[in-house]
């Protein structure tokens, strides 16, 4: 996006996603300066009055969101500057038809606009759509000339000239075949337990579904194994894959029945490749729950701030290492050692409302006051959130980890002391020199 200004001061630039945001399914948005050295630009929400003023009095359409970008460097009159904006949405693809049999292909629909929804006049624009299938799988597309198709599933609309009125739109409907799974966690709860005895345990609980057209009629494992991929077989979720640090250990994968042995961990030069296979293929519309976890050495995720030791800094991923999974609700709880204080939490998203932070206390074995916890919650979490670092910094006295072992030693010492004292104490009545005989 390039914009020409008639002012020299850094005025807010309105940036919009290229189609209706559907707020419940909006995931993330990023704005960067275009050019050889792109940098992230700060954004802020705009009120309805500000949006209307920037659009020359034209109110914005419903179900859309707008943000402003404050320019740090003044722009000379008549000059141009570039801005790159991206938005990520979940559940934007709708199965069409909504139900299908096992033998039917899996098809999706997408509604958008040929034109960028902008409050400014647009002199030139082009839309490129990269489909998950080749052109043979494209069933319908709303035409608007000029239009080009490279035969590999990439459609190009435009360039379109001189869109003068604000909020110009041209409905675009796409209907295509998509033979790939879409795993989505309805809820993903993660717990990271930090122990200064050298271990960090990561436990993840999934309530997982596979988005798509729901199956009607029976389902046959034999037909699934022998059917060609063109029948929609690929839309079933067969396995989840991901990578773990090379030092990861004690990896587990279990469901309500018990340990799931149909999984593998393969070491490579710099990482561990994980493949988790559920007990059955997860067809579109199906749902399952399972737990996945592993442990890491403390030194992999924790370090000291400053040369003299100082505070402890723990850095863990905000989301799961399993790839391709989105989450309606992602919750990551970091359980700190007992005695931690002066906690500070940092995420790449700052205070833009993407991540909700809360604190609490968790009581475990031998705790006296409980352990402080930090919980980061994200709605509509996608890959950008999963890989983001969650940094927790806290203070902990060097001798604090030895309190619990000392309590154990003291308890066992007291127990043995009482036993020894009881063994040497005579609580019987009389000296035991004679016996009392009955008449």
């Amino acid at each position: 996006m390039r914009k020409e200004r008639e002012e020299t001061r850094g005025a807010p630039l309105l940036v919009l996603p290229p189609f209706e945001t559907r707020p419940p399914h909006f995931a993330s948005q990023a704005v960067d300066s275009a050019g050889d050295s792109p940098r992230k630009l700060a954004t802020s929400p705009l009120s309805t009055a500000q949006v209307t003023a920037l659009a020359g009095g034209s109110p914005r359409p419903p179900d859309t969101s707008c943000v402003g970008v404050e320019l740090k460097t003044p722009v000379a009159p008549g000059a141009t500057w570039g801005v790159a904006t991206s938005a990520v949405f979940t559940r934007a693809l709708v199965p069409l038809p909504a139900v299908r049999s096992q033998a039917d292909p899996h098809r999706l629909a997408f509604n958008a606009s040929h034109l960028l929804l902008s409050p400014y006049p647009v002199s030139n624009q082009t839309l490129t759509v990269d489909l998950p299938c080749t052109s043979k799988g494209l069933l319908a597309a709303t035409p608007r000339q000029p239009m080009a198709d490279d035969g590999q599933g990439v459609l190009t609309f435009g360039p379109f000239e001189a869109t003068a009125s604000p909020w110009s739109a041209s409905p675009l409907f796409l209907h295509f075949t998509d033979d790939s799974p879409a795993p989505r966690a309805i809820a993903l709860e993660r717990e990271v337990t930090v122990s200064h005895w050298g271990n960090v345990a990561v436990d993840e609980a999934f309530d997982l579904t596979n988005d798509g057209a729901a199956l009607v009629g029976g389902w046959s494992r034999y037909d699934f194994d022998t059917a060609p991929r063109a029948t929609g077989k690929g839309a079933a979720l067969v396995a989840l894959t991901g990578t773990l640090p090379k030092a990861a250990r004690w990896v587990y994968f279990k469901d309500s029945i018990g340990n799931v042995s149909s999984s593998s961990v393969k070491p490579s030069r710099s990482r561990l490749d994980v493949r988790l296979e559920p007990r059955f293929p997860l067809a579109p519309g199906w749902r399952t729950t399972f737990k996945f976890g592993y442990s890491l050495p403390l030194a992999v995720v924790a370090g000291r701030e400053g040369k003299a030791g100082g505070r402890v800094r723990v850095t863990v991923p905000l989301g799961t290492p399993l790839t391709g999974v989105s989450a309606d609700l992602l919750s990551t709880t970091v359980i700190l050692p007992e005695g931690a204080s002066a906690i500070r939490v940092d995420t790449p998203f700052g205070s833009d409302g993407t991540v909700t932070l809360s604190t609490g206390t968790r009581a475990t074995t031998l705790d006296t006051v409980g352990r402080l916890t930090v919980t980061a919650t994200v709605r509509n979490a996608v890959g950008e959130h999963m890989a983001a670092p969650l940094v927790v910094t806290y203070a902990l006295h060097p001798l604090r980890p030895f309190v619990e072992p000392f309590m154990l030693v003291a308890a066992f010492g007291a127990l043995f002391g009482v036993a020894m004292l009881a063994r040497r104490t005579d609580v019987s009545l009389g000296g035991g020199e004679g016996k009392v005989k009955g008449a």
Side-chain angles (χ1 to χ4, degrees), residues 241-248 251 265-274 296 321 323:
T241 59
T243 59
L244 297 177
K246 181 71 173 180
V251 181
V265 179
K266 295 182 179 180
S268 63
R269 178 173 299 181
S270 60
R271 67 181 189 271
L272 297 181
D273 296 323
V274 180
L296 294 169
T323 58

Side-chain angles (χ1 to χ4, degrees), residues 196-391:
H196 275 239
W197 287 100
N199 187 67
V200 176
V202 181
D203 302 285
E204 303 181 354
F206 286 81
D207 184 356
L208 189 75
T209 186
N210 185 14
D211 282 337
L215 286 179
V216 293
W219 184 84
S220 168
R221 182 62 183 252
Y222 174 80
D223 292 342
F224 177 83
D225 291 338
T226 58
R229 187 178 177 87
T231 60
K233 172 181 178 179
L237 178 65
V238 178
L240 293 170
T241 59
T243 59
L244 297 177
K246 181 71 173 180
R249 55 197 178 187
W250 305 330
V251 181
Y252 71 86
F253 173 41
K254 61 184 181 181
D255 57 13
S256 58
I257 300 176
N259 182 59
V260 183
S261 59
S262 56
S263 57
S264 63
V265 179
K266 295 182 179 180
S268 63
R269 178 173 299 181
S270 60
R271 67 181 189 271
L272 297 181
D273 296 323
V274 180
R275 179 181 174 86
L276 308 181
E277 296 185 16
R279 296 184 186 275
F280 52 86
L282 203 64
W286 288 8
R287 184 173 175 179
T288 187
T289 59
F290 64 88
K291 292 183 178 180
F292 163 65
Y294 54 94
S295 293
L296 294 169
L298 180 64
V300 174
V301 299
R304 293 280 183 178
E305 282 191 338
K307 298 181 179 180
R311 293 161 59 84
V312 182
R313 176 192 293 264
V314 173
T315 304
V316 296
L318 183 60
T320 179
L322 301 179
T323 58
V325 180
S326 64
D328 292 347
L329 182 62
L330 167 65
S331 175
T332 299
T333 299
V334 180
I335 305 173
L336 301 177
E338 190 177 26
S341 61
I343 299 174
R344 187 181 75 244
V345 184
D346 299 297
T347 69
F349 306 101
S351 58
D352 62 358
T354 301
V355 180
T356 303
L357 300 175
S358 61
T359 58
T361 305
R362 177 78 59 87
T364 59
T365 306
L366 296 180
D367 286 345
T368 55
V369 295
R371 304 186 180 193
L372 293 179
T373 63
V374 175
T375 301
T377 303
V378 182
R379 294 190 177 276
N380 297 318
V382 291
E384 287 81 353
H385 304 114
M386 301 295 184
L390 175 63
V391 182

Side-chain angles (χ1 to χ4, degrees), residues 5-11 71-79 81:
R5 291 211 60 82
E6 300 176 354
E7 306 175 62
T8 58
R9 61 184 177 86
L71 303 178
K72 297 181 179 180
T73 304
V75 181
W81 73 90

